[in-house]
Amino acid sequence: MKHFILPAALILFNSAYAEGPGKKTQTDKTSKNKHIEMQQTQLSDNPLLADWTGLYGGLPPFDKVKVSDFKPAIEAAMAENLSEIDKIAKQTEAPTFANTIAAMERTGQKLQRIITLYGIWGSNLSTPEFQEVETEFEPKLAGLSDQISQNIALFKRIETVYLSPETKKLSAEQQRLCKIHYTNFVRSGAKLDAAKKNRLSEINQELAGFFTKFSQNLLSDESDLILVLNSKDELIGLPQSLIDGASNTAKAKLLDDKWVISNTRSSVDPFLTYSDRRDLREKAWKMFINRGDNGGEHDNNELITKILRLRSERAKLLGFETHAHWRLENTMAKTPQKAIELMESVWPAAIARVKEEVADMQTIADLVDMNIKIEPWDYRYYAEKVRKQRYDLDQNEVKQYFQLDKLREGMFWVAGELFGFSFTPLKNIPVYHPDVNVWEVKDKKTGRHIGLWYFDAYAREGKRSGAWMNAYRDQQRMDKEVTTIVSNNSNFVKGNPGEPVLISWDDASTLFHEFGHALHGLSSNVTYPTLSGTNVVRDYVEFPSQLLEHWLSTSEVLSKFALHYQTGKPIPSSLVERIEKASTFNEGFATTEYLSSALIDMKIHLADASNIDPDKFEKETLDALGMPKELVMRHRTPQFGHVFSGDGYSAGYYSYLWSDVLTADAYEAFVEGKGAYDKEVAQRLIKYVFSVGNTIDPEIGFKSFRGHDAQTDALMRKRGFPVKK
Ligand SMILES: [Zn+2]
């Protein structure tokens, strides 16, 4: 529910959009030539501009790149992209699939490679120096994207191919590619008049700047604000692994003999779960939920107001009622109303469950002190006490069996059983940080190379919080077989050197989730890059990943890979039974914190955007929804990176629920068959879901796999909510 997927293509929509060169004003010819020569000497040494070389069809040159390389490389590659597009637009031959649509698929490849690395630096290695590059280039890249989608000659060619009767004779994949290019151009304003196109481009560039500022503000509050624990008194209740992590963080900040809780979810959530110090829990909670909302130079509220206003103006320019209507048009849900209907059908069951959960927690709190009334900083703490009391289940007990390395092996094993993949660790592959490891993925039976999987597991300064998947290179076979490179990134807290990293059940789920995205990328078997792997509609992309979460709790994985970190013994079946019994425990909390965020995201993009005060909007909307006061949104508006650090998940956070409807229903196909490892069901899943990318309509893909359209009953069962008859 929490995890981004970061297709590099999203940053630029698609490598294929740009416009003709020759736009730069020609000044003095001599000085221009000189400038070019100078640039060329420098550019020839720029590792970002070189093809990826080495094994596996080339590797990202992480060992050679310096931050100072980005600016000249992006500029050169942008110019090259524009000239490639110009060539297509200006050719005299009549438009055909080959000379227009397929040709566009070949453009911007250099820029795409550079933007991939630029995205990796921005998410994993951010520094003030790199942030300057982002601040400069985000608007420029948005401008480039507009220049391409607003190229009249190019659009005319695409439209001609799309509407041509000849197109009906192409393969299904080619026809879909035509449709997607055409639709993307129209959705980006290709049919607008010149004045409106200009305004649209201004808006996009301004938005790009605001998105960057939003993320940078958030990163500042996450890295600058900390909770310092000064004495052993302040550690009461914390498990040793958390204390060790906090001590290491303190040392890194040169605070000897102290402990530091960072302002990130992976540090704050466990602190809120275990700290017996109610006063400190309140402090930690307030620090975390006020990220981006602290006044001063890193406050995000004003930015949000501006973003919403610009998004609304853009939607109207493009002929849509609101930003949400524009965003939803090319999703499975299709309309905001449909998404809201789904969310509101689950909401009452979720908040009713919260009431029960709070009552259970209050009973326990009353035994300690009749004056305690459950507050949001108490929820995780008392929920843990209820979990212990009711299910005899202690998350710390579970954690002792959840070693990161072993669970990773467990994921590999699942991928072997279901997808027929094998994973071999590789040495001497360039990485951007020593913590990153690389594996080769092969077909288990034939030994055929499938792709590479990079894994960057640990939190560090300059890395954004959360977990995500990224495709460094998409699978395709337009001209030759190109294999994929994918990565999973997470923020586990490193323990002491040499000791295994123990992770919670939730973190293990997230690990499997992101690996699901990776498998989606690795399974891709398509011809054109635009349609490859995870390049599918937003409310479908979380389906493969959420589906994979289900395999964590299979007895096969638990008995083989959930091994005690000291004794090496597998997790006892009695503990597994207790985990199963507690599987829908605290689902009121989880669903409500998620859904409140998803509803706010949708409603704020449907509201009159002329002057929204985010804090006020959030409060009033939550009141109207009957949000229980004992918890908060998973992502409050000023820190809602999914929604305000880019357009990707805006009016799109509902996607996780939408996808989970598909997920729950799809998993029941295994249950109805021979179980989680039913090879025949797995084959169908790969055939219609994991391998097809965006080459078929997701609704058809799902139905072909499942035999019926997705139904919500399975979701309600999965979450332990009553199923409406
Ligand atoms: Zn995801």
Side-chain angles (χ1 to χ4, degrees):
M1 251 175 246
K2 37 251 154 171
H3 344 288
F4 280 102
I5 169 170
L6 275 186
L10 251 192
I11 301 170
L12 220 120
F13 288 103
N14 181 320
S15 51
Y17 299 22
E19 204 215 60
K23 275 215 156 179
K24 272 175 203 148
T25 29
Q26 302 250 344
T27 47
D28 180 320
K29 226 177 174 179
T30 341
S31 74
K32 194 182 165 231
N33 285 344
K34 244 186 217 157
H35 174 69
I36 287 173
E37 271 165 28
M38 255 178 56
Q39 228 187 15
Q40 276 169 349
T41 356
Q42 291 163 355
L43 289 179
S44 63
D45 302 331
N46 193 315
L48 285 168
L49 286 165
D51 286 341
W52 291 0
T53 54
L55 297 167
Y56 313 111
L59 296 163
F62 290 123
D63 50 341
K64 300 193 185 99
V65 175
K66 299 184 300 299
V67 172
S68 57
D69 295 328
F70 280 102
K71 186 179 149 90
I74 299 175
E75 268 166 1
M78 280 172 70
E80 187 182 304
N81 192 4
L82 281 176
S83 98
E84 289 167 346
I85 288 288
D86 196 49
K87 241 189 186 160
I88 298 174
K90 287 194 177 146
Q91 62 191 316
T92 47
E93 277 165 54
T96 62
F97 176 83
N99 72 19
T100 302
I101 305 287
M104 277 177 57
E105 290 286 298
R106 293 186 183 92
T107 62
Q109 294 187 1
K110 189 178 285 174
L111 182 60
Q112 185 67 45
R113 282 199 304 271
I114 298 168
I115 292 306
T116 298
L117 276 97
Y118 165 90
I120 292 167
W121 254 255
S123 303
N124 301 285
L125 302 166
S126 190
T127 56
E129 189 194 2
F130 185 78
Q131 291 187 6
E132 273 176 37
V133 181
E134 278 179 322
T135 306
E136 179 180 349
F137 279 99
E138 284 302 311
K140 285 187 181 172
L141 288 164
L144 173 74
S145 193
D146 284 329
Q147 252 186 300
I148 297 171
S149 56
Q150 297 184 357
N151 183 320
I152 297 168
L154 179 64
F155 177 63
K156 284 270 167 279
R157 294 185 71 89
I158 293 169
E159 192 173 38
T160 306
V161 176
Y162 174 60
L163 298 174
S164 154
E166 287 299 301
T167 300
K168 298 266 176 310
K169 297 177 194 158
L170 299 173
S171 75
E173 183 176 348
Q174 289 168 331
Q175 289 187 45
R176 188 161 170 87
L177 187 67
C178 293
K179 185 180 166 188
I180 282 168
H181 276 296
Y182 174 78
T183 315
N184 283 347
F185 267 71
V186 174
R187 285 177 54 73
S188 313
K191 286 186 163 176
L192 299 181
D193 66 32
K196 283 184 174 165
K197 276 181 179 164
N198 264 336
R199 179 61 195 141
L200 186 70
S201 190
E202 277 170 20
I203 293 174
N204 283 335
Q205 290 178 55
E206 209 173 340
L207 276 173
F210 291 160
F211 295 154
T212 311
K213 186 81 184 103
F214 184 96
S215 317
Q216 292 177 354
N217 283 343
L218 188 55
L219 192 58
S220 291
D221 274 4
E222 287 180 350
S223 33
D224 299 349
L225 306 177
I226 50 174
L227 176 67
V228 181
L229 307 174
N230 292 299
S231 67
K232 295 223 157 118
D233 265 6
E234 301 186 342
L235 306 176
I236 297 176
L238 303 182
Q240 193 56 44
S241 59
L242 186 55
I243 295 174
D244 292 344
S247 162
N248 289 336
T249 312
K251 276 182 202 136
K253 292 189 182 292
L254 305 177
L255 293 165
D256 282 345
D257 303 322
K258 293 192 195 301
W259 297 265
V260 165
I261 302 300
S262 308
N263 199 13
T264 59
R265 193 178 297 282
S266 51
S267 298
V268 171
D269 278 2
F271 185 80
L272 293 175
T273 308
Y274 295 110
S275 173
D276 287 335
R277 288 282 301 263
R278 194 170 189 232
D279 57 331
L280 295 176
R281 288 204 307 268
E282 183 177 351
K283 264 193 189 167
W285 180 82
K286 285 187 171 156
M287 170 176 82
F288 189 65
I289 68 128
N290 284 318
R291 286 167 301 143
D293 200 13
N294 291 309
E297 58 169 337
H298 298 309
D299 191 286
N300 274 332
N301 284 290
E302 205 186 314
L303 276 176
I304 294 170
T305 307
K306 289 179 180 165
I307 289 172
L308 291 169
R309 201 183 291 140
L310 287 172
R311 278 178 173 163
S312 166
E313 188 190 343
R314 179 176 59 186
K316 293 202 167 73
L317 268 177
L318 291 165
F320 291 85
E321 208 178 320
T322 68
H323 177 71
H325 288 85
W326 177 62
R327 288 295 305 166
L328 275 275
E329 188 210 28
N330 69 344
T331 60
M332 277 185 92
K334 297 205 166 59
T335 64
Q337 201 43 45
K338 199 93 185 285
I340 286 190
E341 270 166 28
L342 171 65
M343 291 190 272
E344 291 189 341
S345 74
V346 179
W347 178 254
I351 57 172
R353 181 60 50 81
V354 165
K355 261 207 186 97
E356 295 168 19
E357 289 169 8
V358 171
D360 288 343
M361 294 190 287
Q362 193 62 56
T363 310
I364 292 186
D366 287 348
L367 296 175
V368 185
D369 180 347
M370 288 300 282
N371 293 318
I372 293 176
K373 222 177 135 339
I374 300 294
E375 297 283 352
W377 47 89
D378 297 321
Y379 210 118
R380 288 176 192 277
Y381 179 78
Y382 282 103
E384 195 51 27
K385 303 243 179 270
V386 176
R387 195 195 309 263
K388 243 182 218 169
Q389 193 193 55
R390 176 157 315 161
Y391 302 98
D392 189 20
L393 191 61
D394 175 349
Q395 287 205 79
N396 261 324
E397 188 188 349
V398 178
K399 218 173 163 173
Q400 313 215 333
Y401 294 92
F402 276 13
Q403 305 174 55
L404 177 59
D405 286 347
K406 289 274 177 282
L407 287 172
R408 182 182 38 67
E409 281 171 28
M411 302 193 311
F412 290 169
W413 181 80
V414 170
E417 292 296 301
L418 298 178
F419 295 82
F421 291 159
S422 71
F423 289 74
T424 318
L426 295 176
K427 295 260 175 284
N428 306 320
I429 300 284
V431 288
Y432 57 81
H433 189 278
D435 282 350
V436 181
N437 290 300
V438 187
W439 280 262
E440 183 188 6
V441 187
K442 285 189 282 204
D443 184 312
K444 222 165 60 169
K445 274 200 200 113
T446 63
R448 181 173 62 94
H449 174 80
I450 302 282
L452 297 174
W453 184 70
Y454 287 56
F455 186 39
D456 179 3
Y458 304 112
R460 81 177 75 87
E461 213 158 307
K463 185 171 174 181
R464 59 194 197 85
S465 63
W468 60 94
M469 170 268 191
N470 199 355
Y472 295 171
R473 181 171 66 207
D474 285 323
Q475 176 275 333
Q476 50 124 325
R477 65 170 68 89
M478 209 174 20
D479 298 315
K480 59 172 194 224
E481 200 67 44
V482 174
T483 53
T484 187
I485 303 177
V486 296
S487 87
N488 279 164
N489 300 51
S490 39
N491 270 284
F492 297 112
V493 181
K494 255 193 198 173
N496 288 330
E499 282 176 19
V501 175
L502 302 180
I503 66 176
S504 68
W505 180 275
D506 278 358
D507 284 343
S509 280
T510 304
L511 189 71
F512 272 63
H513 175 104
E514 298 309 330
F515 193 59
H517 285 307
L519 290 172
H520 191 190
L522 288 163
S523 304
S524 180
N525 184 13
V526 308
T527 307
Y528 298 99
T530 292
L531 306 176
S532 177
T534 53
N535 296 328
V536 299
V537 293
R538 178 60 61 215
D539 52 4
Y540 195 65
V541 77
E542 299 301 332
F543 160 43
S545 54
Q546 293 187 148
L547 186 59
L548 206 89
E549 292 176 31
H550 282 267
W551 274 267
L552 168 64
S553 56
T554 58
S555 57
E556 288 85 346
V557 166
L558 293 176
S559 64
K560 287 189 179 73
F561 302 97
L563 307 177
H564 193 276
Y565 78 109
Q566 283 167 328
T567 65
K569 287 204 174 123
I571 190 165
S573 55
S574 66
L575 181 52
V576 175
E577 269 165 39
R578 281 177 280 147
I579 292 172
E580 274 165 11
K581 268 195 194 139
S583 68
T584 59
F585 172 72
N586 223 31
E587 194 55 67
F589 176 84
T591 302
T592 302
E593 71 158 6
Y594 159 73
L595 263 186
S596 53
S597 296
L599 280 160
I600 290 284
D601 165 40
M602 192 59 78
K603 285 176 190 269
I604 210 166
H605 287 107
L606 287 166
D608 169 12
S610 44
N611 202 15
I612 291 180
D613 173 344
D615 276 346
K616 191 163 160 258
F617 183 91
E618 189 179 296
K619 198 185 168 307
E620 289 174 0
T621 311
L622 292 176
D623 284 349
L625 283 167
M627 174 78 173
K629 59 187 181 325
E630 293 86 359
L631 74 168
V632 283
M633 297 161 67
R634 183 167 180 89
H635 309 279
R636 288 195 51 241
T637 325
Q639 63 232 200
F640 209 164
H642 287 79
V643 175
F644 296 110
S645 67
D647 278 326
Y649 280 81
S650 63
Y653 197 60
Y654 78 94
S655 302
Y656 292 95
L657 183 71
W658 189 274
S659 290
D660 208 27
V661 171
L662 308 174
T663 302
D665 199 337
Y667 192 69
E668 289 193 352
F670 285 92
V671 177
E672 290 160 13
K674 291 187 196 131
Y677 297 91
D678 187 321
K679 295 262 192 293
E680 192 266 323
V681 181
Q683 276 309 314
R684 250 188 4 244
L685 185 69
I686 295 164
K687 182 172 175 195
Y688 294 114
V689 178
F690 275 74
S691 69
V692 294
N694 197 14
T695 59
I696 57 175
D697 183 314
E699 229 170 276
I700 295 169
F702 183 86
K703 203 172 171 178
S704 309
F705 161 67
R706 189 64 177 107
H708 61 237
D709 288 323
Q711 290 153 4
T712 50
D713 293 7
L715 173 91
M716 297 304 268
R717 278 192 288 274
K718 175 180 171 181
R719 297 190 179 208
F721 296 153
V723 177
K724 278 183 214 124
K725 283 289 162 216

